[in-house]
PDB file of all heavy atoms in Angstrom:
ATOM      1  N   PHE A   1     -96.936-176.920  -7.844  1.00  0.00           N
ATOM      2  CA  PHE A   1     -96.372-175.780  -8.554  1.00  0.00           C
ATOM      3  C   PHE A   1     -94.868-175.941  -8.820  1.00  0.00           C
ATOM      4  O   PHE A   1     -94.272-175.075  -9.464  1.00  0.00           O
ATOM      5  CB  PHE A   1     -96.643-174.473  -7.798  1.00  0.00           C
ATOM      6  CG  PHE A   1     -97.905-173.798  -8.265  1.00  0.00           C
ATOM      7  CD1 PHE A   1     -99.118-174.092  -7.685  1.00  0.00           C
ATOM      8  CD2 PHE A   1     -97.867-172.879  -9.301  1.00  0.00           C
ATOM      9  CE1 PHE A   1    -100.278-173.488  -8.119  1.00  0.00           C
ATOM     10  CE2 PHE A   1     -99.016-172.262  -9.750  1.00  0.00           C
ATOM     11  CZ  PHE A   1    -100.242-172.561  -9.155  1.00  0.00           C
ATOM     12  N   TYR A   2     -94.279-177.041  -8.345  1.00  0.00           N
ATOM     13  CA  TYR A   2     -92.877-177.301  -8.659  1.00  0.00           C
ATOM     14  C   TYR A   2     -92.739-177.529 -10.166  1.00  0.00           C
ATOM     15  O   TYR A   2     -93.488-178.291 -10.765  1.00  0.00           O
ATOM     16  CB  TYR A   2     -92.388-178.523  -7.886  1.00  0.00           C
ATOM     17  CG  TYR A   2     -91.001-178.976  -8.246  1.00  0.00           C
ATOM     18  CD1 TYR A   2     -89.921-178.103  -8.174  1.00  0.00           C
ATOM     19  CD2 TYR A   2     -90.762-180.285  -8.662  1.00  0.00           C
ATOM     20  CE1 TYR A   2     -88.636-178.517  -8.503  1.00  0.00           C
ATOM     21  CE2 TYR A   2     -89.479-180.708  -8.986  1.00  0.00           C
ATOM     22  CZ  TYR A   2     -88.425-179.813  -8.908  1.00  0.00           C
ATOM     23  OH  TYR A   2     -87.159-180.229  -9.243  1.00  0.00           O
ATOM     24  N   LEU A   3     -91.801-176.844 -10.800  1.00  0.00           N
ATOM     25  CA  LEU A   3     -91.515-176.870 -12.236  1.00  0.00           C
ATOM     26  C   LEU A   3     -92.520-176.093 -13.075  1.00  0.00           C
ATOM     27  O   LEU A   3     -92.472-176.154 -14.305  1.00  0.00           O
ATOM     28  CB  LEU A   3     -91.390-178.309 -12.766  1.00  0.00           C
ATOM     29  CG  LEU A   3     -90.281-179.167 -12.153  1.00  0.00           C
ATOM     30  CD1 LEU A   3     -90.275-180.562 -12.775  1.00  0.00           C
ATOM     31  CD2 LEU A   3     -88.923-178.515 -12.316  1.00  0.00           C
ATOM     32  N   ILE A   4     -93.411-175.338 -12.448  1.00  0.00           N
ATOM     33  CA  ILE A   4     -94.310-174.457 -13.196  1.00  0.00           C
ATOM     34  C   ILE A   4     -93.623-173.094 -13.297  1.00  0.00           C
ATOM     35  O   ILE A   4     -93.576-172.323 -12.335  1.00  0.00           O
ATOM     36  CB  ILE A   4     -95.684-174.317 -12.513  1.00  0.00           C
ATOM     37  CG1 ILE A   4     -96.356-175.686 -12.389  1.00  0.00           C
ATOM     38  CG2 ILE A   4     -96.552-173.344 -13.291  1.00  0.00           C
ATOM     39  CD1 ILE A   4     -96.668-176.363 -13.697  1.00  0.00           C
ATOM     40  N   ALA A   5     -93.067-172.810 -14.472  1.00  0.00           N
ATOM     41  CA  ALA A   5     -92.232-171.620 -14.655  1.00  0.00           C
ATOM     42  C   ALA A   5     -93.063-170.349 -14.723  1.00  0.00           C
ATOM     43  O   ALA A   5     -94.140-170.312 -15.317  1.00  0.00           O
ATOM     44  CB  ALA A   5     -91.410-171.760 -15.931  1.00  0.00           C
ATOM     45  N   MET A   6     -92.524-169.295 -14.117  1.00  0.00           N
ATOM     46  CA  MET A   6     -93.123-167.965 -14.192  1.00  0.00           C
ATOM     47  C   MET A   6     -92.453-167.174 -15.321  1.00  0.00           C
ATOM     48  O   MET A   6     -91.222-167.072 -15.378  1.00  0.00           O
ATOM     49  CB  MET A   6     -92.937-167.231 -12.863  1.00  0.00           C
ATOM     50  CG  MET A   6     -93.649-167.896 -11.681  1.00  0.00           C
ATOM     51  SD  MET A   6     -95.463-167.870 -11.811  1.00  0.00           S
ATOM     52  CE  MET A   6     -95.809-169.634 -12.053  1.00  0.00           C
ATOM     53  N   MET A   7     -93.276-166.627 -16.202  1.00  0.00           N
ATOM     54  CA  MET A   7     -92.783-165.872 -17.354  1.00  0.00           C
ATOM     55  C   MET A   7     -93.179-164.404 -17.240  1.00  0.00           C
ATOM     56  O   MET A   7     -94.105-164.054 -16.496  1.00  0.00           O
ATOM     57  CB  MET A   7     -93.342-166.453 -18.656  1.00  0.00           C
ATOM     58  CG  MET A   7     -92.971-167.900 -18.900  1.00  0.00           C
ATOM     59  SD  MET A   7     -93.567-168.516 -20.499  1.00  0.00           S
ATOM     60  CE  MET A   7     -92.411-167.711 -21.635  1.00  0.00           C
ATOM     61  N   SER A   8     -92.500-163.575 -17.985  1.00  0.00           N
ATOM     62  CA  SER A   8     -92.815-162.144 -18.028  1.00  0.00           C
ATOM     63  C   SER A   8     -94.023-161.917 -18.930  1.00  0.00           C
ATOM     64  O   SER A   8     -93.983-162.232 -20.128  1.00  0.00           O
ATOM     65  CB  SER A   8     -91.613-161.360 -18.561  1.00  0.00           C
ATOM     66  OG  SER A   8     -91.999-160.063 -18.960  1.00  0.00           O
ATOM     67  N   LYS A   9     -95.086-161.370 -18.371  1.00  0.00           N
ATOM     68  CA  LYS A   9     -96.276-161.076 -19.164  1.00  0.00           C
ATOM     69  C   LYS A   9     -95.938-160.096 -20.283  1.00  0.00           C
ATOM     70  O   LYS A   9     -96.333-160.286 -21.448  1.00  0.00           O
ATOM     71  CB  LYS A   9     -97.369-160.496 -18.272  1.00  0.00           C
ATOM     72  CG  LYS A   9     -98.634-160.111 -19.015  1.00  0.00           C
ATOM     73  CD  LYS A   9     -99.667-159.470 -18.092  1.00  0.00           C
ATOM     74  CE  LYS A   9    -100.912-159.070 -18.866  1.00  0.00           C
ATOM     75  NZ  LYS A   9    -101.902-158.388 -17.986  1.00  0.00           N
ATOM     76  N   ALA A  10     -95.187-159.042 -19.962  1.00  0.00           N
ATOM     77  CA  ALA A  10     -94.854-158.021 -20.953  1.00  0.00           C
ATOM     78  C   ALA A  10     -94.030-158.605 -22.091  1.00  0.00           C
ATOM     79  O   ALA A  10     -94.267-158.301 -23.274  1.00  0.00           O
ATOM     80  CB  ALA A  10     -94.102-156.875 -20.288  1.00  0.00           C
ATOM     81  N   TRP A  11     -93.055-159.455 -21.757  1.00  0.00           N
ATOM     82  CA  TRP A  11     -92.198-160.050 -22.777  1.00  0.00           C
ATOM     83  C   TRP A  11     -92.995-160.968 -23.695  1.00  0.00           C
ATOM     84  O   TRP A  11     -92.831-160.945 -24.923  1.00  0.00           O
ATOM     85  CB  TRP A  11     -91.067-160.822 -22.104  1.00  0.00           C
ATOM     86  CG  TRP A  11     -90.039-161.401 -23.028  1.00  0.00           C
ATOM     87  CD1 TRP A  11     -88.967-160.763 -23.577  1.00  0.00           C
ATOM     88  CD2 TRP A  11     -89.984-162.763 -23.491  1.00  0.00           C
ATOM     89  NE1 TRP A  11     -88.245-161.641 -24.363  1.00  0.00           N
ATOM     90  CE2 TRP A  11     -88.844-162.868 -24.334  1.00  0.00           C
ATOM     91  CE3 TRP A  11     -90.787-163.892 -23.294  1.00  0.00           C
ATOM     92  CZ2 TRP A  11     -88.490-164.060 -24.958  1.00  0.00           C
ATOM     93  CZ3 TRP A  11     -90.428-165.081 -23.917  1.00  0.00           C
ATOM     94  CH2 TRP A  11     -89.297-165.161 -24.734  1.00  0.00           C
ATOM     95  N   CYS A  12     -93.881-161.779 -23.115  1.00  0.00           N
ATOM     96  CA  CYS A  12     -94.695-162.697 -23.923  1.00  0.00           C
ATOM     97  C   CYS A  12     -95.647-161.934 -24.835  1.00  0.00           C
ATOM     98  O   CYS A  12     -95.834-162.310 -26.007  1.00  0.00           O
ATOM     99  CB  CYS A  12     -95.467-163.649 -23.010  1.00  0.00           C
ATOM    100  SG  CYS A  12     -94.439-164.897 -22.193  1.00  0.00           S
ATOM    101  N   GLU A  13     -96.251-160.872 -24.320  1.00  0.00           N
ATOM    102  CA  GLU A  13     -97.157-160.077 -25.149  1.00  0.00           C
ATOM    103  C   GLU A  13     -96.399-159.383 -26.274  1.00  0.00           C
ATOM    104  O   GLU A  13     -96.869-159.332 -27.426  1.00  0.00           O
ATOM    105  CB  GLU A  13     -97.897-159.060 -24.285  1.00  0.00           C
ATOM    106  CG  GLU A  13     -98.914-159.697 -23.351  1.00  0.00           C
ATOM    107  CD  GLU A  13     -99.587-158.702 -22.426  1.00  0.00           C
ATOM    108  OE1 GLU A  13     -99.044-157.577 -22.255  1.00  0.00           O
ATOM    109  OE2 GLU A  13    -100.641-159.051 -21.858  1.00  0.00           O
ATOM    110  N   LYS A  14     -95.229-158.862 -25.969  1.00  0.00           N
ATOM    111  CA  LYS A  14     -94.429-158.161 -26.971  1.00  0.00           C
ATOM    112  C   LYS A  14     -94.036-159.087 -28.119  1.00  0.00           C
ATOM    113  O   LYS A  14     -94.027-158.667 -29.297  1.00  0.00           O
ATOM    114  CB  LYS A  14     -93.165-157.598 -26.315  1.00  0.00           C
ATOM    115  CG  LYS A  14     -92.219-156.904 -27.287  1.00  0.00           C
ATOM    116  CD  LYS A  14     -90.974-156.390 -26.567  1.00  0.00           C
ATOM    117  CE  LYS A  14     -89.995-155.737 -27.538  1.00  0.00           C
ATOM    118  NZ  LYS A  14     -88.766-155.252 -26.832  1.00  0.00           N
ATOM    119  N   HIS A  15     -93.759-160.348 -27.804  1.00  0.00           N
ATOM    120  CA  HIS A  15     -93.242-161.265 -28.816  1.00  0.00           C
ATOM    121  C   HIS A  15     -94.292-162.267 -29.310  1.00  0.00           C
ATOM    122  O   HIS A  15     -93.942-163.220 -30.028  1.00  0.00           O
ATOM    123  CB  HIS A  15     -92.031-162.006 -28.270  1.00  0.00           C
ATOM    124  CG  HIS A  15     -90.869-161.108 -27.981  1.00  0.00           C
ATOM    125  ND1 HIS A  15     -90.146-160.477 -28.980  1.00  0.00           N
ATOM    126  CD2 HIS A  15     -90.321-160.705 -26.804  1.00  0.00           C
ATOM    127  CE1 HIS A  15     -89.197-159.735 -28.434  1.00  0.00           C
ATOM    128  NE2 HIS A  15     -89.284-159.858 -27.121  1.00  0.00           N
ATOM    129  N   GLY A  16     -95.552-162.055 -28.959  1.00  0.00           N
ATOM    130  CA  GLY A  16     -96.623-162.899 -29.476  1.00  0.00           C
ATOM    131  C   GLY A  16     -96.584-164.336 -29.014  1.00  0.00           C
ATOM    132  O   GLY A  16     -96.923-165.254 -29.783  1.00  0.00           O
ATOM    133  N   VAL A  17     -96.181-164.554 -27.753  1.00  0.00           N
ATOM    134  CA  VAL A  17     -96.090-165.927 -27.234  1.00  0.00           C
ATOM    135  C   VAL A  17     -96.909-166.060 -25.952  1.00  0.00           C
ATOM    136  O   VAL A  17     -96.463-166.634 -24.959  1.00  0.00           O
ATOM    137  CB  VAL A  17     -94.618-166.357 -27.005  1.00  0.00           C
ATOM    138  CG1 VAL A  17     -93.928-166.577 -28.330  1.00  0.00           C
ATOM    139  CG2 VAL A  17     -93.856-165.339 -26.165  1.00  0.00           C
ATOM    140  N   THR A  18     -98.121-165.531 -25.984  1.00  0.00           N
ATOM    141  CA  THR A  18     -98.983-165.638 -24.807  1.00  0.00           C
ATOM    142  C   THR A  18     -99.526-167.059 -24.631  1.00  0.00           C
ATOM    143  O   THR A  18    -100.033-167.389 -23.563  1.00  0.00           O
ATOM    144  CB  THR A  18    -100.151-164.650 -24.897  1.00  0.00           C
ATOM    145  OG1 THR A  18    -100.874-164.880 -26.112  1.00  0.00           O
ATOM    146  CG2 THR A  18     -99.648-163.207 -24.870  1.00  0.00           C
ATOM    147  N   ARG A  19     -99.426-167.891 -25.662  1.00  0.00           N
ATOM    148  CA  ARG A  19     -99.769-169.314 -25.554  1.00  0.00           C
ATOM    149  C   ARG A  19     -98.486-170.131 -25.718  1.00  0.00           C
ATOM    150  O   ARG A  19     -97.564-169.721 -26.418  1.00  0.00           O
ATOM    151  CB  ARG A  19    -100.783-169.726 -26.622  1.00  0.00           C
ATOM    152  CG  ARG A  19    -102.115-169.015 -26.511  1.00  0.00           C
ATOM    153  CD  ARG A  19    -103.065-169.502 -27.585  1.00  0.00           C
ATOM    154  NE  ARG A  19    -103.522-170.864 -27.336  1.00  0.00           N
ATOM    155  CZ  ARG A  19    -104.641-171.173 -26.662  1.00  0.00           C
ATOM    156  NH1 ARG A  19    -105.408-170.188 -26.197  1.00  0.00           N
ATOM    157  NH2 ARG A  19    -105.008-172.427 -26.479  1.00  0.00           N
ATOM    158  N   PRO A  20     -98.420-171.307 -25.101  1.00  0.00           N
ATOM    159  CA  PRO A  20     -97.234-172.146 -25.260  1.00  0.00           C
ATOM    160  C   PRO A  20     -97.073-172.627 -26.697  1.00  0.00           C
ATOM    161  O   PRO A  20     -98.036-172.700 -27.460  1.00  0.00           O
ATOM    162  CB  PRO A  20     -97.501-173.330 -24.320  1.00  0.00           C
ATOM    163  CG  PRO A  20     -98.549-172.857 -23.377  1.00  0.00           C
ATOM    164  CD  PRO A  20     -99.372-171.875 -24.142  1.00  0.00           C
ATOM    165  N   GLN A  21     -95.864-172.957 -27.041  1.00  0.00           N
ATOM    166  CA  GLN A  21     -95.580-173.608 -28.315  1.00  0.00           C
ATOM    167  C   GLN A  21     -96.362-174.918 -28.391  1.00  0.00           C
ATOM    168  O   GLN A  21     -96.448-175.674 -27.427  1.00  0.00           O
ATOM    169  CB  GLN A  21     -94.081-173.913 -28.412  1.00  0.00           C
ATOM    170  CG  GLN A  21     -93.689-174.787 -29.586  1.00  0.00           C
ATOM    171  CD  GLN A  21     -92.385-175.534 -29.362  1.00  0.00           C
ATOM    172  OE1 GLN A  21     -91.899-175.621 -28.216  1.00  0.00           O
ATOM    173  NE2 GLN A  21     -91.808-176.084 -30.409  1.00  0.00           N
ATOM    174  N   ASP A  22     -96.918-175.219 -29.548  1.00  0.00           N
ATOM    175  CA  ASP A  22     -97.525-176.526 -29.798  1.00  0.00           C
ATOM    176  C   ASP A  22     -96.408-177.448 -30.248  1.00  0.00           C
ATOM    177  O   ASP A  22     -96.055-177.505 -31.424  1.00  0.00           O
ATOM    178  CB  ASP A  22     -98.616-176.409 -30.863  1.00  0.00           C
ATOM    179  CG  ASP A  22     -99.410-177.701 -31.020  1.00  0.00           C
ATOM    180  OD1 ASP A  22     -98.866-178.775 -30.674  1.00  0.00           O
ATOM    181  OD2 ASP A  22    -100.552-177.647 -31.505  1.00  0.00           O
ATOM    182  N   TYR A  23     -95.839-178.154 -29.304  1.00  0.00           N
ATOM    183  CA  TYR A  23     -94.655-178.957 -29.592  1.00  0.00           C
ATOM    184  C   TYR A  23     -94.948-180.085 -30.575  1.00  0.00           C
ATOM    185  O   TYR A  23     -94.177-180.340 -31.505  1.00  0.00           O
ATOM    186  CB  TYR A  23     -94.072-179.527 -28.300  1.00  0.00           C
ATOM    187  CG  TYR A  23     -92.924-180.447 -28.566  1.00  0.00           C
ATOM    188  CD1 TYR A  23     -91.672-179.939 -28.884  1.00  0.00           C
ATOM    189  CD2 TYR A  23     -93.095-181.837 -28.579  1.00  0.00           C
ATOM    190  CE1 TYR A  23     -90.616-180.780 -29.183  1.00  0.00           C
ATOM    191  CE2 TYR A  23     -92.047-182.679 -28.878  1.00  0.00           C
ATOM    192  CZ  TYR A  23     -90.814-182.133 -29.175  1.00  0.00           C
ATOM    193  OH  TYR A  23     -89.774-182.971 -29.486  1.00  0.00           O
ATOM    194  N   ASN A  24     -96.074-180.783 -30.370  1.00  0.00           N
ATOM    195  CA  ASN A  24     -96.374-181.915 -31.242  1.00  0.00           C
ATOM    196  C   ASN A  24     -96.581-181.487 -32.690  1.00  0.00           C
ATOM    197  O   ASN A  24     -96.343-182.270 -33.613  1.00  0.00           O
ATOM    198  CB  ASN A  24     -97.605-182.664 -30.729  1.00  0.00           C
ATOM    199  CG  ASN A  24     -97.302-183.463 -29.469  1.00  0.00           C
ATOM    200  OD1 ASN A  24     -96.166-183.861 -29.243  1.00  0.00           O
ATOM    201  ND2 ASN A  24     -98.306-183.691 -28.645  1.00  0.00           N
ATOM    202  N   ALA A  25     -97.026-180.242 -32.888  1.00  0.00           N
ATOM    203  CA  ALA A  25     -97.206-179.716 -34.244  1.00  0.00           C
ATOM    204  C   ALA A  25     -95.922-179.098 -34.788  1.00  0.00           C
ATOM    205  O   ALA A  25     -95.919-178.544 -35.884  1.00  0.00           O
ATOM    206  CB  ALA A  25     -98.335-178.682 -34.259  1.00  0.00           C
ATOM    207  N   LYS A  26     -94.828-179.154 -34.001  1.00  0.00           N
ATOM    208  CA  LYS A  26     -93.532-178.591 -34.383  1.00  0.00           C
ATOM    209  C   LYS A  26     -93.643-177.101 -34.714  1.00  0.00           C
ATOM    210  O   LYS A  26     -93.006-176.600 -35.638  1.00  0.00           O
ATOM    211  CB  LYS A  26     -92.931-179.374 -35.551  1.00  0.00           C
ATOM    212  CG  LYS A  26     -92.699-180.846 -35.216  1.00  0.00           C
ATOM    213  CD  LYS A  26     -91.966-181.583 -36.299  1.00  0.00           C
ATOM    214  CE  LYS A  26     -91.707-183.029 -35.890  1.00  0.00           C
ATOM    215  NZ  LYS A  26     -90.984-183.791 -36.925  1.00  0.00           N
ATOM    216  N   GLN A  27     -94.436-176.413 -33.921  1.00  0.00           N
ATOM    217  CA  GLN A  27     -94.636-174.975 -34.118  1.00  0.00           C
ATOM    218  C   GLN A  27     -93.364-174.200 -33.769  1.00  0.00           C
ATOM    219  O   GLN A  27     -92.684-174.517 -32.798  1.00  0.00           O
ATOM    220  CB  GLN A  27     -95.798-174.496 -33.243  1.00  0.00           C
ATOM    221  CG  GLN A  27     -96.113-173.019 -33.368  1.00  0.00           C
ATOM    222  CD  GLN A  27     -97.148-172.567 -32.352  1.00  0.00           C
ATOM    223  OE1 GLN A  27     -97.349-173.218 -31.323  1.00  0.00           O
ATOM    224  NE2 GLN A  27     -97.821-171.465 -32.637  1.00  0.00           N
ATOM    225  N   GLU A  28     -93.057-173.189 -34.555  1.00  0.00           N
ATOM    226  CA  GLU A  28     -91.951-172.281 -34.260  1.00  0.00           C
ATOM    227  C   GLU A  28     -92.514-170.972 -33.711  1.00  0.00           C
ATOM    228  O   GLU A  28     -93.400-170.372 -34.320  1.00  0.00           O
ATOM    229  CB  GLU A  28     -91.140-171.987 -35.524  1.00  0.00           C
ATOM    230  CG  GLU A  28     -90.088-173.048 -35.826  1.00  0.00           C
ATOM    231  CD  GLU A  28     -88.949-173.038 -34.823  1.00  0.00           C
ATOM    232  OE1 GLU A  28     -88.658-171.972 -34.252  1.00  0.00           O
ATOM    233  OE2 GLU A  28     -88.354-174.106 -34.606  1.00  0.00           O
ATOM    234  N   THR A  29     -92.021-170.562 -32.535  1.00  0.00           N
ATOM    235  CA  THR A  29     -92.416-169.287 -31.953  1.00  0.00           C
ATOM    236  C   THR A  29     -91.164-168.604 -31.408  1.00  0.00           C
ATOM    237  O   THR A  29     -90.090-169.202 -31.327  1.00  0.00           O
ATOM    238  CB  THR A  29     -93.429-169.454 -30.801  1.00  0.00           C
ATOM    239  OG1 THR A  29     -92.739-169.961 -29.640  1.00  0.00           O
ATOM    240  CG2 THR A  29     -94.566-170.402 -31.169  1.00  0.00           C
ATOM    241  N   HIS A  30     -91.327-167.351 -31.000  1.00  0.00           N
ATOM    242  CA  HIS A  30     -90.209-166.591 -30.430  1.00  0.00           C
ATOM    243  C   HIS A  30     -89.660-167.272 -29.176  1.00  0.00           C
ATOM    244  O   HIS A  30     -88.449-167.224 -28.910  1.00  0.00           O
ATOM    245  CB  HIS A  30     -90.694-165.179 -30.093  1.00  0.00           C
ATOM    246  CG  HIS A  30     -89.603-164.241 -29.687  1.00  0.00           C
ATOM    247  ND1 HIS A  30     -88.777-163.605 -30.585  1.00  0.00           N
ATOM    248  CD2 HIS A  30     -89.189-163.825 -28.448  1.00  0.00           C
ATOM    249  CE1 HIS A  30     -87.916-162.830 -29.932  1.00  0.00           C
ATOM    250  NE2 HIS A  30     -88.142-162.950 -28.637  1.00  0.00           N
ATOM    251  N   ALA A  31     -90.542-167.924 -28.398  1.00  0.00           N
ATOM    252  CA  ALA A  31     -90.128-168.531 -27.134  1.00  0.00           C
ATOM    253  C   ALA A  31     -89.409-169.863 -27.312  1.00  0.00           C
ATOM    254  O   ALA A  31     -88.853-170.394 -26.350  1.00  0.00           O
ATOM    255  CB  ALA A  31     -91.345-168.729 -26.226  1.00  0.00           C
ATOM    256  N   VAL A  32     -89.387-170.394 -28.520  1.00  0.00           N
ATOM    257  CA  VAL A  32     -88.711-171.668 -28.752  1.00  0.00           C
ATOM    258  C   VAL A  32     -87.197-171.508 -28.657  1.00  0.00           C
ATOM    259  O   VAL A  32     -86.498-172.377 -28.150  1.00  0.00           O
ATOM    260  CB  VAL A  32     -89.115-172.244 -30.124  1.00  0.00           C
ATOM    261  CG1 VAL A  32     -88.255-173.454 -30.483  1.00  0.00           C
ATOM    262  CG2 VAL A  32     -90.587-172.635 -30.121  1.00  0.00           C
ATOM    263  N   ARG A  33     -86.680-170.375 -29.120  1.00  0.00           N
ATOM    264  CA  ARG A  33     -85.230-170.196 -29.198  1.00  0.00           C
ATOM    265  C   ARG A  33     -84.732-168.987 -28.423  1.00  0.00           C
ATOM    266  O   ARG A  33     -83.554-168.671 -28.452  1.00  0.00           O
ATOM    267  CB  ARG A  33     -84.796-170.110 -30.663  1.00  0.00           C
ATOM    268  CG  ARG A  33     -85.386-171.266 -31.420  1.00  0.00           C
ATOM    269  CD  ARG A  33     -84.756-171.588 -32.723  1.00  0.00           C
ATOM    270  NE  ARG A  33     -85.399-172.798 -33.213  1.00  0.00           N
ATOM    271  CZ  ARG A  33     -85.016-174.027 -32.885  1.00  0.00           C
ATOM    272  NH1 ARG A  33     -83.962-174.214 -32.121  1.00  0.00           N
ATOM    273  NH2 ARG A  33     -85.675-175.066 -33.329  1.00  0.00           N
ATOM    274  N   GLN A  34     -85.619-168.315 -27.722  1.00  0.00           N
ATOM    275  CA  GLN A  34     -85.225-167.188 -26.898  1.00  0.00           C
ATOM    276  C   GLN A  34     -85.946-167.294 -25.553  1.00  0.00           C
ATOM    277  O   GLN A  34     -86.958-167.981 -25.432  1.00  0.00           O
ATOM    278  CB  GLN A  34     -85.555-165.882 -27.600  1.00  0.00           C
ATOM    279  CG  GLN A  34     -84.910-165.802 -28.988  1.00  0.00           C
ATOM    280  CD  GLN A  34     -85.061-164.458 -29.641  1.00  0.00           C
ATOM    281  OE1 GLN A  34     -84.534-163.466 -29.163  1.00  0.00           O
ATOM    282  NE2 GLN A  34     -85.780-164.435 -30.750  1.00  0.00           N
ATOM    283  N   ALA A  35     -85.422-166.640 -24.539  1.00  0.00           N
ATOM    284  CA  ALA A  35     -85.969-166.815 -23.195  1.00  0.00           C
ATOM    285  C   ALA A  35     -85.798-165.543 -22.379  1.00  0.00           C
ATOM    286  O   ALA A  35     -84.861-164.770 -22.597  1.00  0.00           O
ATOM    287  CB  ALA A  35     -85.280-167.984 -22.493  1.00  0.00           C
ATOM    288  N   MET A  36     -86.702-165.355 -21.411  1.00  0.00           N
ATOM    289  CA  MET A  36     -86.623-164.221 -20.490  1.00  0.00           C
ATOM    290  C   MET A  36     -87.209-164.662 -19.155  1.00  0.00           C
ATOM    291  O   MET A  36     -88.412-164.592 -18.929  1.00  0.00           O
ATOM    292  CB  MET A  36     -87.404-163.018 -21.047  1.00  0.00           C
ATOM    293  CG  MET A  36     -87.294-161.765 -20.198  1.00  0.00           C
ATOM    294  SD  MET A  36     -85.584-161.212 -19.999  1.00  0.00           S
ATOM    295  CE  MET A  36     -85.172-160.808 -21.699  1.00  0.00           C
ATOM    296  N   GLY A  37     -86.344-165.150 -18.285  1.00  0.00           N
ATOM    297  CA  GLY A  37     -86.794-165.617 -16.982  1.00  0.00           C
ATOM    298  C   GLY A  37     -86.249-164.774 -15.849  1.00  0.00           C
ATOM    299  O   GLY A  37     -85.732-163.672 -16.060  1.00  0.00           O
ATOM    300  N   THR A  38     -86.350-165.321 -14.634  1.00  0.00           N
ATOM    301  CA  THR A  38     -85.798-164.664 -13.444  1.00  0.00           C
ATOM    302  C   THR A  38     -84.655-165.486 -12.855  1.00  0.00           C
ATOM    303  O   THR A  38     -84.078-165.105 -11.841  1.00  0.00           O
ATOM    304  CB  THR A  38     -86.868-164.521 -12.352  1.00  0.00           C
ATOM    305  OG1 THR A  38     -87.323-165.839 -11.979  1.00  0.00           O
ATOM    306  CG2 THR A  38     -88.050-163.677 -12.822  1.00  0.00           C
ATOM    307  N   GLY A  39     -84.333-166.622 -13.472  1.00  0.00           N
ATOM    308  CA  GLY A  39     -83.431-167.596 -12.867  1.00  0.00           C
ATOM    309  C   GLY A  39     -81.985-167.161 -12.760  1.00  0.00           C
ATOM    310  O   GLY A  39     -81.586-166.091 -13.234  1.00  0.00           O
TER     311      GLY A  39
END
C-alpha cells in the first residue's frame, strides 16, 4: 500500500474523476491539473 494515494470520494464524484486518467490515451480530466489530498 506504499504510494497508493487516498483520494476524496466526494471531490472525485463532484468533478467526474471516479476513474483514473487514461495516461496513454492522453486523456484530459479535472484530476490532471487539480488536486485534493490530505498531504
Side-chain angles (χ1 to χ4, degrees):
F1 267 89
Y2 174 55
L3 299 180
I4 300 297
M6 297 294 112
M7 300 184 75
S8 164
K9 178 183 179 183
W11 185 82
C12 288
E13 290 176 342
K14 177 181 178 181
H15 295 291
V17 288
T18 56
R19 297 181 71 92
Q21 171 204 15
D22 188 336
Y23 175 77
N24 287 334
K26 300 187 178 180
Q27 181 187 21
E28 276 291 332
T29 74
H30 188 80
V32 171
R33 310 198 175 274
Q34 304 188 65
M36 184 59 64
T38 61

